[in-house]
């Protein structure tokens, strides 16, 4: 083992270890959410994951970004195979370990290079859409300093990684060619670049090493950057889609604790099941209705928050947002993530989501500690009440995030725990209670519609 | 229903009228149109009449789960008391709630929205308009109801129904799964909108009018759908006898009608429910 191998081994252990450490904290954050049984239906869930996560099904609602994204995504998958080779080479001091694959290796390397070049093109297009064309959905009050820097940062890192790859391949190729040595693999893009590289053998060897190290260290840095970034979706999209809802979108969750109460009210003989008990056998404190803070949401809602790409498709399709209201489903999701990290673990090495208010670009009202919860502390009732529950946000999210569920949970808290519904809704509630209709009509008028229809029958009924 | 039960008879279907269908003056016309269709095809139906009460949909969406469940349990008791199996309703909100949310509380029924029901009647040849009747060639655009479309994946039934009218059907830029809400769902119907720069129903009505007028440049400005993957842009053409915005939901009906009034286009654009269109095409004018 050379000193280079040992250094590589150390770097790799630190890189992956750090990532595991961050991932554990994120897992802990997600698990503060309420329990929800998501087991079963494995076949249907896998199929969904295959279609939506692997197959990018929902991306194809918008063809331009879908194609660009597809290039980067496939590039990422294929380049990962080369990363395996790099790790093996690094640990065992081999050179291009996978070359025993023969023709397959040729294809692999060639695909890799072509995709690498296409990724650079796609990244430039992405950068242009964000910074020059300024596609509308990339802006908005919740897109504060960090989310914007983050989005561009990823693009820059991707370019650096691809450039490192080409430096490594081209110098390696030229080094072999100059000595009339056979070089395993086939390199359609690097062969074109040979001319711009120096002819000094030592320098070429140095460049090859530099490219190799830059590529792998870059990937490890990128890996550890992910948990602070919207780019974490490249991992979280898969579990998130797997655990997405399988019921019709219009079906809102049932609150079982309320069902027991209502049944007991309607039927005095109804036996309310014993309240859940803690591990020590004592009854647990009853949970509140709806959600005030992150731990009142289901763990799937929290998983959502770590899968969000901040792409803004939800907000762009939201009727409330389109017509200038404060509500932005993306903001609800981002707030949930920021709140988790503020209250629980900040799993990250640096904490971009927690930078002072100055970095957030908006002035915030100072809030009392006990008021600093997800609801009110970050999400205002005004946002929540603007939602028409139309499901456009749910439909448009490419990774099956459901902002609507969180919105309804917070509305439930406002109504059931705080009785803080807007006045006109309270009027509607009492109409339903008293007249059985949301409007103030008398139940006895319910049959008036039939008046012109069959007067005779109607008289018979009312008689 | 009480009458039928007293006579010991069972209806084939229960027609769930819904609060809007029972109380809203405009939507009562839809209720009557649908009843005339039922009579016309000779199906044995019943309504609950005064025993019907709100499904609880607006309460649930506003977060009042307690009130929702009270309503739901009461309705389930009534429905089960009459041993109802099959329910048809013209309201997507009632449809969604009874179909998707009552089972968790013990209410299990076959629930059909009237667009699907009409589609079935047409397929069975019980309703059919030779030559399209009075709607032939008129320009119609269909506004998807969120609770029919995205909530329950029903996009084709209403379009199939409209197709029998032999009219000039045009799609809005935001349609089907990309459809824009009328602005009334989620209990918005009963409250003022939050501050913004426009009402949702105005935005949607404008889009419908641009579509009916064939105003492509204005449609291109429509936010929320990128890259023009929406329906074909209609060419400008006079709307012979007036154009129609077709809806299949009482809330959409109110919101779109208000929008048309707001834009002062009542003279050449009308808002109709599917049932009304079929009833008048069949000569069953309500
Ligand atoms: S469900 Fe609510 S948040 Fe989502 S798009 Fe519709 S109005 Fe916006
Ligand atoms: S919730 Fe989905 S659609 Fe909305 S910004 Fe996040 S990833 Fe995009």
């Amino acid at each position: 083992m050379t000193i280079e191998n040992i250094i590589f081994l150390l770097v790799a252990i630190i890189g992956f270890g750090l990532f595991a450490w961050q991932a554990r904290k994120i897992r802990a954050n997600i698990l503060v959410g309420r329990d929800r049984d998501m087991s079963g239906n494995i076949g249907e869930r896998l199929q969904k994951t295959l279609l939506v996560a692997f197959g990018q099904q929902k991306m194809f609602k918008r063809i331009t970004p879908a194609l660009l994204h597809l290039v980067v995504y496939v590039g990422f998958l294929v380049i990962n195979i080369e990363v395996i080779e790099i790790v093996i080479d690094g640990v065992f001091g081999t050179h291009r370990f996978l070359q025993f694959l023969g023709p397959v290796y040729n294809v692999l390397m060639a695909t890799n290079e072509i995709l690498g070049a296409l990724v650079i093109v796609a990244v430039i297009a992405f950068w242009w859409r964000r910074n020059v064309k300024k596609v509308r959905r990339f802006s908005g009050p919740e897109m504060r300093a960090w989310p914007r820097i983050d989005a561009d940062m990823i693009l820059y890192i991707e370019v650096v990684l691809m450039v490192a790859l080409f430096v490594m391949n081209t110098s390696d190729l030229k080094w072999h060619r100059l000595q009339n040595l056979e070089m395993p693999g086939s390199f359609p893009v690097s062969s074109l670049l040979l001319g711009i590289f120096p002819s000094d053998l030592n320098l070429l060897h140095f460049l090859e090493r530099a490219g190799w190290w830059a590529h792998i260290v870059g990937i490890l840095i990128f890996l550890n950057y992910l948990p602070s970034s919207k780019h974490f979706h490249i991992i979280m999209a898969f579990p998130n889609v797997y655990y997405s809802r399988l019921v019709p979108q219009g079906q809102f969750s049932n609150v079982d604790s309320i069902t027991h109460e209502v049944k007991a009210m309607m039927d005095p003989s109804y036996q309310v099941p014993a309240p859940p008990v803690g591990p020590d056998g004592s009854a647990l404190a009853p949970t509140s209705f709806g959600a005030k803070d992150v731990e009142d949401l289901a763990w799937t809602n929290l998983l959502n928050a770590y899968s969000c790409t901040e792409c803004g498709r939800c907000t762009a399709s939201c009727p409330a947002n389109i017509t200038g209201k404060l509500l932005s489903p993306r903001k609800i999701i981002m707030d949930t993530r920021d709140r988790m990290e503020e209250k629980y673990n900040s799993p990250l090495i640096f904490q971009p989501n927690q930078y002072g208010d100055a970095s957030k670009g908006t002035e915030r009202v100072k809030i009392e500690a006990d008021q600093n919860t997800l609801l009110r502390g970050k999400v205002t009732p005004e946002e929540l009440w603007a939602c028409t529950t139309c499901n456009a946000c749910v439909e448009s999210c490419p990774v099956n995030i459901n902002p609507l569920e969180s919105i309804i949970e917070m509305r439930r808290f406002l109504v059931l725990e705080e009785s803080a519904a807007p006045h006109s809704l309270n009027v509607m509630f009492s109409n339903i209670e008293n007249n059985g209709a949301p409007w103030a009509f008398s139940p006895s008028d319910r049959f008036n519609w039939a008046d012109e229809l069959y007067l005779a029958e109607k008289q018979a009924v009312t008689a | 229903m009480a009458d039928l039960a007293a006579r010991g008879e069972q209806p084939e279907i229960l027609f769930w009228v819904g609060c809007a269908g029972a109380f809203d003056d405009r939507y009562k016309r839809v209720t009557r149109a649908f009843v005339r269709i039922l009579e016309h095809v000779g199906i044995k139906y019943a309504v609950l009449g005064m025993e019907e009460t709100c499904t609880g949909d607006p309460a649930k969406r506003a977060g009042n789960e307690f009130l929702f469940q009270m309503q739901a349990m009461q309705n389930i008791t009534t429905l089960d008391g009459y041993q109802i199996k099959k329910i048809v309703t013209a309201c997507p909100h009632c449809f969604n709630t009874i179909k998707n949310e009552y089972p968790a509380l013990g209410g299990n029924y076959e629930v059909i929205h009237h667009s699907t029901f009409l589609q079935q009647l047409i397929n069975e040849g019980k309703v059919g308009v030779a030559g399209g009747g009075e709607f032939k060639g008129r320009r119609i655009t269909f506004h998807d109801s969120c609770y029919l479309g995205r909530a329950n994946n029903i996009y084709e039934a209403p379009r199939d129904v409209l197709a029998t009218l032999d009219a000039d059907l045009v799609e809005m830029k935001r349609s089907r799964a990309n459809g824009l809400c009328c602005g009334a769902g989620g209990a918005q119907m009963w409250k003022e909108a939050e501050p913004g720069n426009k009402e949702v129903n105005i935005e949607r009505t404008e889009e419908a009018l641009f579509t009916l007028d064939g105003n492509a440049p204005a449609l291109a400005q429509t936010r929320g759908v990128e890259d023009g993957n929406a329906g074909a842009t209609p060419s400008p053409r006079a709307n012979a006898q007036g154009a129609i915005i077709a809806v299949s939901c009482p809330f959409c009906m109110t919101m779109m009608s208000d929008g048309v009034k707001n834009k002062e286009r009542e003279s050449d654009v009308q808002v109709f429910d599917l049932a009304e269109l079929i009833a008048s095409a069949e000569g069953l004018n309500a």
Side-chain angles (χ1 to χ4, degrees):
Chain A
M1 239 187 193
T2 65
I3 184 82
E4 201 185 348
N5 299 146
I6 294 174
I7 295 176
F8 175 80
L9 204 61
L10 278 176
V11 169
I13 289 174
I14 293 173
F16 287 112
L18 218 52
F19 177 74
W21 176 75
Q22 298 197 63
R24 268 195 55 195
K25 291 195 163 191
I26 285 184
R27 189 183 130 85
N29 276 1
I30 292 173
L31 291 180
V32 307
R34 280 190 188 160
D35 203 17
R36 170 181 282 182
D37 186 11
M38 281 290 178
S39 57
N41 300 313
I42 295 173
E44 198 180 337
R45 291 186 180 283
L46 285 177
Q47 195 189 2
K48 221 176 187 173
T49 313
L50 218 57
L51 274 175
V52 176
F54 281 99
Q56 313 264 297
Q57 187 192 39
K58 289 176 89 178
M59 284 296 286
F60 277 88
K61 289 187 150 196
R62 288 175 177 175
I63 194 75
T64 318
L67 290 176
L68 293 173
H69 184 268
L70 189 69
V71 167
V72 180
Y73 164 69
V74 177
F76 165 76
L77 290 183
V78 175
I79 285 162
N80 269 335
I81 304 178
E82 195 179 354
V83 173
I84 298 174
E85 179 180 56
I86 288 185
V87 171
I88 296 174
D89 283 353
V91 175
F92 299 103
T94 47
H95 184 70
R96 299 197 174 261
F97 171 80
L98 291 178
Q99 60 179 275
F100 68 87
L101 294 171
V104 178
Y105 189 69
N106 288 348
V107 175
L108 192 67
M109 287 299 121
T111 329
N112 217 338
E113 286 229 314
I114 292 169
L115 280 170
L118 286 175
V119 166
I120 294 180
V121 175
V123 163
I124 293 172
F126 278 144
W127 189 88
W128 184 79
R129 282 169 63 85
R130 243 172 223 283
N131 299 296
V132 184
K133 195 179 171 204
K134 297 198 194 295
V135 171
R136 187 172 198 150
R137 64 184 155 92
F138 296 140
S139 63
E142 68 272 28
M143 298 308 278
R144 302 169 314 220
W146 169 247
R148 285 202 313 271
I149 298 170
D150 177 32
D152 281 332
M153 189 84 96
I154 294 154
L155 299 177
Y156 302 140
I157 296 179
E158 267 161 20
V159 171
V160 170
L161 289 178
M162 291 306 115
V163 169
L165 179 84
F166 285 120
V167 169
M168 172 181 99
N169 281 351
T170 315
S171 44
D172 200 12
L173 193 62
K174 191 151 183 178
W175 189 84
H176 281 84
R177 289 265 171 93
L178 286 176
Q179 304 175 85
N180 286 323
L181 293 171
E182 187 64 29
M183 158 113 163
S186 116
F187 303 89
V189 178
S190 291
S191 344
L192 301 174
L193 299 173
L194 288 172
I196 56 171
F197 273 66
S199 301
D200 181 290
L201 285 186
N202 284 330
L203 192 53
L204 281 176
H205 182 72
F206 171 77
L207 281 176
E208 192 269 339
R209 284 290 86 193
W212 186 90
W213 275 98
H215 193 61
I216 186 65
V217 172
I219 284 176
L220 289 175
I221 292 176
F222 190 47
L223 186 68
N224 281 289
Y225 174 78
L226 288 185
S228 328
S229 159
K230 77 185 190 88
H231 221 52
F232 204 33
H233 79 270
I234 63 175
I235 297 171
M236 300 306 272
F238 297 93
N240 193 63
V241 172
Y242 181 84
Y243 288 117
S244 51
R245 278 158 45 103
L246 300 175
V247 295
Q249 281 176 13
Q251 179 179 333
F252 288 17
S253 67
N254 192 61
V255 183
D256 293 336
S257 52
I258 292 183
T259 311
H260 297 313
E261 273 187 54
V262 172
K263 281 193 176 156
M265 270 175 65
M266 294 180 75
D267 172 10
S269 67
Y270 179 75
Q271 286 291 317
V272 178
V277 288
D280 58 350
S282 64
L284 292 175
T287 45
S288 60
F289 297 128
K292 181 184 196 187
D293 213 343
V294 283
E295 62 274 6
D296 303 325
L297 290 169
W299 65 269
T300 49
N301 303 130
L302 304 184
L303 178 66
N304 277 182
Y306 276 112
S307 320
C308 176
T309 329
E310 296 169 16
C311 69
R313 285 170 160 81
C314 50
T315 296
S317 64
C318 171
N321 192 275
I322 287 175
T323 53
K325 278 119 201 158
L326 217 48
L327 173 63
S328 161
R330 167 173 59 189
K331 176 175 175 290
I332 307 271
I333 297 295
M334 289 169 71
D335 283 344
T336 308
R337 178 200 59 204
D338 295 356
R339 176 64 190 153
M340 266 189 289
E341 303 198 340
E342 177 185 283
K343 184 166 185 186
Y344 294 95
N345 294 303
S346 195
L348 319 166
I349 298 164
F350 65 111
Q351 303 174 5
N353 296 322
Q354 305 305 312
Y355 286 165
D357 287 346
S359 73
K360 294 176 179 169
T362 45
E363 249 192 86
R364 293 202 168 206
V365 192
K366 260 236 153 309
I367 17 188
E368 303 297 319
D370 65 331
Q371 282 268 311
N372 188 15
T373 50
L374 177 61
L375 175 63
R376 295 193 200 282
K378 293 203 183 301
V379 180
T380 59
E382 180 181 338
E383 290 162 67
L384 298 172
W385 290 119
C387 175
T388 70
T389 71
C390 72
N391 263 305
C393 52
V394 183
E395 182 76 34
S396 57
C397 179
V399 291
N400 281 3
I401 287 172
N402 190 328
L404 178 52
E405 234 177 38
S406 308
I407 293 173
I408 290 300
E409 287 299 338
M410 285 186 266
R411 279 190 178 182
R412 282 178 182 164
F413 189 88
L414 285 174
V415 171
L416 298 171
E417 297 281 343
E418 297 187 334
S419 303
H423 172 70
S424 45
L425 287 186
N426 283 329
V427 172
M428 182 263 286
F429 293 152
S430 56
N431 281 335
I432 293 184
E433 253 178 83
N434 301 328
N435 311 328
W439 291 280
F441 287 115
S442 156
S444 57
D445 289 341
R446 233 181 220 283
F447 229 160
N448 288 359
W449 59 266
D451 277 357
E452 299 162 29
L453 208 53
Y454 351 74
L455 282 172
E457 273 107 318
K458 178 154 192 268
Q459 276 149 9
V461 169
T462 43
Chain B
M1 184 63 225
D3 292 351
L4 275 189
R7 293 201 296 268
E9 291 177 50
Q10 266 297 315
E12 277 172 72
I13 58 165
L14 179 91
F15 172 36
W16 184 274
V17 179
C19 301
F23 294 121
D24 181 274
D25 281 336
R26 176 68 188 86
Y27 221 67
K28 278 191 226 170
R29 303 224 298 267
V30 177
T31 306
R32 286 195 285 265
F34 188 63
V35 162
R36 292 205 166 101
I37 295 173
L38 292 175
E39 302 263 309
H40 174 69
V41 298
I43 240 171
K44 197 162 163 198
Y45 72 98
V47 294
L48 286 181
M50 286 166 213
E51 287 178 272
E52 190 182 295
T53 153
C54 175
T55 57
D57 159 88
K60 185 165 181 110
R61 284 158 250 241
N64 197 337
E65 183 71 11
F66 199 84
L67 180 56
F68 161 74
Q69 293 202 8
M70 298 282 289
Q71 291 298 119
M73 301 272 195
Q74 191 181 336
N75 281 321
I76 291 171
T77 312
T78 311
L79 290 167
D80 286 350
Y82 289 123
Q83 295 170 345
I84 299 297
K85 302 273 170 330
K86 194 167 167 180
I87 299 172
V88 178
T89 177
C91 175
H93 294 265
C94 299
F95 165 72
N96 176 69
T97 304
I98 304 178
K99 174 172 174 279
N100 295 323
E101 287 162 357
Y102 279 20
L105 302 169
N108 292 291
Y109 318 97
E110 183 189 348
V111 194
I112 306 174
H113 184 254
H114 81 322
S115 57
T116 311
F117 186 77
L118 290 172
Q119 181 197 31
Q120 285 166 4
L121 291 181
I122 290 164
N123 290 346
E124 290 163 13
K126 291 189 181 145
V127 181
V129 193
E134 58 177 290
F135 299 106
K136 192 175 167 68
R138 284 175 72 178
R139 187 168 281 188
I140 302 183
T141 190
F142 176 67
H143 161 73
D144 285 277
S145 148
C146 306
Y147 273 82
L148 201 57
R150 275 188 296 269
N152 289 291
N153 267 315
I154 299 178
Y155 298 111
E156 298 315 320
R159 289 181 168 78
D160 286 355
V161 172
L162 289 175
T164 60
L165 296 175
D166 199 18
D168 178 15
L169 298 179
V170 284
E171 288 287 352
M172 286 187 247
K173 189 173 170 195
R174 292 176 288 213
S175 63
R176 292 195 169 83
N178 294 326
L180 187 80
C181 181
C182 69
Q188 299 293 342
M189 185 69 137
W190 292 274
K191 60 184 263 299
E192 287 295 309
E194 273 54 41
N197 48 36
K198 208 190 240 181
E199 299 286 328
V200 177
N201 69 323
I202 301 295
E203 170 86 8
R204 185 56 164 170
T205 310
E206 283 174 356
E207 188 183 6
L209 294 176
F210 292 152
T211 305
L212 292 170
D213 297 344
N215 188 345
L219 277 176
Q221 303 298 318
T222 316
R223 273 184 69 196
V225 183
E226 269 176 52
D227 298 323
N229 54 351
T233 336
S235 58
R237 176 144 46 98
N239 295 314
Q241 303 159 302
I244 292 167
I245 301 174
V247 296
S248 56
C249 167
F251 295 2
C252 300
M253 167 70 84
T254 305
M255 295 315 244
M256 300 310 281
S257 307
D258 285 354
V260 170
K261 256 184 229 132
N262 180 288
K263 295 272 146 193
E264 299 182 348
R265 287 290 298 271
E266 304 109 298
S267 56
D268 68 329
V269 177
Q270 289 163 289
V271 185
F272 282 126
D273 184 272
L274 295 179
E276 292 178 298
L277 291 172
I278 293 298
S280 36
E282 286 273 297
L284 308 167
N285 266 324

